[in-house]
């Protein structure tokens, strides 16, 4: 570089500015408010609790009297639910005055400003009743924005009836269920005299297992898929599979009898299990005879 000359100015490239990537707008979270399922009164028949029994042979049973008829709807329940219902009907305080499960639920609902308006026995799947409990805001309390005036949830009939009695709510039974399962009142009178010797419980269990062992369960693969879906938390798929099983149960009398027999044995209702076993055996024999006739 010659003397007296100035060095040329070096211009460095500018560092590019960091621009944060634009985030996609977050979807707005809308509150999904459950609402009560449609209730068509013409499809239901009102009922009241007529009697609660604890028997040695058939376990615990609630008899619902169908209004304007002489029919009773038997609902088999557990020992705890039976005790809770009897205590409420008799206005008997619990031990040390502490609330049990159904009393706790009633107290919680009232503290939150809700009440039970009605309960429904909606369907018979196999030999199992399905029920729903309807909740609404207590009178005089305004519902929050967007909140439905009434909602209903799935429930066991024993819990539904317990809550209905505690809230003084109406009990409704689907007319198809009432027509199929309703029995005349005299059917629940004292056991008829005679009747001969009864089977030992062990003999009932053994014979039931032998009858069931030869039966092919058409839902076995669906049940396995359901277990996997639940473990993997694929709950929507699990619900669909559960609905498929219920649909098959509703249409397959033999399968529904198998489920009812197993449930009766688990609950210690051995006399009912024996009756269902005999019905299952007769049905299978009729099916086999029909199959043989069609092959001729």
């Amino acid at each position: 570089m010659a003397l007296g000359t100035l060095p040329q100015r070096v211009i460095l490239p500018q560092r590019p500015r960091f621009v944060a990537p634009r985030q996609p707008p977050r979807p707005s979270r809308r509150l999904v408010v459950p609402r009560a399922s449609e209730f068509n009164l013409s499809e239901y028949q009102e009922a009241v609790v007529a009697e609660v029994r604890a028997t040695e042979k058939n376990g615990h049973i609630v008899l619902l009297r169908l209004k304007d008829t002489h029919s009773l709807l038997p609902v088999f329940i557990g020992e705890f639910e039976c005790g809770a219902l009897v205590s409420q009907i008799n206005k008997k305080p619990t031990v040390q005055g502490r609330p049990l499960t159904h009393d706790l639920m009633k107290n919680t609902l009232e503290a939150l400003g809700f009440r039970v308006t009605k309960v429904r026995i909606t369907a018979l799947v196999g030999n199992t009743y399905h029920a729903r409990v309807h909740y609404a805001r207590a009178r005089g309390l305004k519902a929050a924005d967007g909140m439905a005036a009434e909602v209903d949830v799935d429930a066991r009939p024993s819990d539904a009836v317990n809550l209905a009695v505690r809230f003084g709510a109406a009990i409704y039974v689907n007319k198809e269920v009432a027509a199929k399962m309703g029995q005349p009142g005299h059917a629940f009178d004292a056991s008829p005299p005679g009747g001969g010797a009864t089977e030992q419980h062990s003999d009932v269990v053994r014979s039931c297992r032998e009858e069931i062992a030869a039966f092919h369960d058409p839902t076995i693969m669906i049940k396995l898929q359901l277990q996997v879906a639940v473990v993997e938390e694929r709950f929507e798929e699990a619900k669909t599979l559960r609905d498929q099983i219920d649909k098959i149960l509703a249409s397959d009398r033999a399968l529904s009898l198998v489920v009812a027999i197993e449930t009766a044995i688990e609950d210690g209702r051995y006399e009912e299990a024996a009756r269902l076993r005999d019905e299952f055996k007769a049905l299978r024999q009729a099916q086999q005879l029909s199959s043989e006739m069609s092959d001729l």
Side-chain angles (χ1 to χ4, degrees):
M1 181 173 61
L3 293 176
T5 59
L6 297 176
Q8 294 182 352
R9 185 180 179 183
V10 178
I11 301 176
L12 298 177
Q14 292 185 353
R15 180 177 297 176
R17 295 176 59 189
F18 174 75
V19 179
R22 179 176 296 179
Q23 297 293 334
R26 293 184 178 181
S28 59
R29 294 182 178 180
R30 299 183 60 186
L31 179 63
V32 179
V33 180
R35 298 181 181 276
S37 53
E38 292 185 6
F39 170 58
N40 187 349
L41 183 59
S42 63
E43 297 177 357
Y44 285 83
Q45 190 168 356
E46 191 171 357
V48 295
V49 176
E51 188 178 351
V52 184
R53 293 183 181 181
T55 64
E56 294 182 359
K57 293 182 178 181
N58 296 325
H60 303 81
I61 183 173
V62 177
L63 298 177
L64 298 179
R65 183 175 301 281
L66 302 170
K67 281 194 172 182
D68 302 325
T69 72
H70 298 288
S71 296
L72 295 173
L73 183 78
V75 180
F76 292 97
I77 63 175
E79 180 180 359
F80 171 78
E81 291 79 4
C82 177
L85 190 55
V86 170
S87 296
Q88 178 62 29
I89 292 174
N90 296 333
K91 303 299 180 183
K92 182 180 178 181
T94 58
V95 178
Q96 298 180 350
R98 308 305 298 156
L100 297 179
T101 304
H102 298 97
D103 300 308
L104 172 62
M105 189 168 184
K106 176 179 182 291
N107 296 340
T108 302
L109 287 168
E110 290 179 336
L112 295 173
F114 285 88
R115 60 189 174 90
V116 173
T117 59
K118 57 181 169 285
V119 303
R120 295 183 288 143
I121 294 179
T122 58
L124 180 70
V125 179
N127 274 58
T128 302
Y129 294 116
H130 285 207
R132 299 195 74 81
V133 178
H134 287 247
Y135 302 102
R137 277 284 181 180
R139 294 182 179 89
L141 292 180
K142 184 179 179 181
D145 292 340
M147 179 176 291
E150 184 176 297
V151 297
D152 65 316
V153 298
D154 186 26
R156 299 184 305 170
S158 56
D159 294 328
V161 172
N162 259 290
L163 286 175
V165 170
R166 281 163 171 76
F167 280 91
I171 302 172
Y172 294 98
V173 179
N174 181 277
K175 287 184 177 179
E176 293 184 2
V177 174
K180 183 176 182 180
M181 301 302 293
Q183 300 183 35
H186 62 75
F188 299 95
D189 293 341
S191 299
T198 58
E199 292 182 85
Q200 295 294 323
H201 294 171
S202 59
D203 294 333
V204 172
V205 174
R206 175 185 53 77
S207 60
C208 287
R209 297 299 184 204
E210 289 176 353
E211 289 294 334
I212 293 174
F215 176 72
H216 173 68
D217 185 351
T219 65
I220 186 66
M221 291 304 299
I222 304 177
K223 290 177 180 176
L224 292 174
Q225 295 172 9
L226 174 62
Q227 293 177 0
V228 174
V230 171
V231 170
E232 296 179 353
E233 299 185 354
R234 292 181 279 112
F235 299 118
E236 287 297 327
E237 182 179 348
K239 182 179 181 300
T240 301
L241 293 169
R242 179 70 262 179
D243 291 343
Q244 290 180 19
I245 294 174
D246 288 345
K247 187 175 181 180
I248 295 174
L249 271 171
S251 60
D252 191 325
R253 180 57 181 167
L255 178 59
S256 67
L257 284 171
V258 168
V259 174
I261 291 169
E262 293 175 339
T263 303
I265 291 175
E266 290 176 1
D267 293 345
R269 294 181 274 112
Y270 300 106
E271 185 174 316
E272 181 185 356
R275 178 180 60 79
L276 293 168
R277 174 207 60 199
D278 294 341
E279 183 181 348
F280 174 76
K281 186 176 181 179
L283 176 63
R284 295 288 288 169
Q285 290 174 347
Q287 290 176 341
Q288 183 177 0
L289 179 60
S290 176
S291 177
E292 291 174 355
M293 292 295 293
S294 62
D295 291 339
L296 294 179

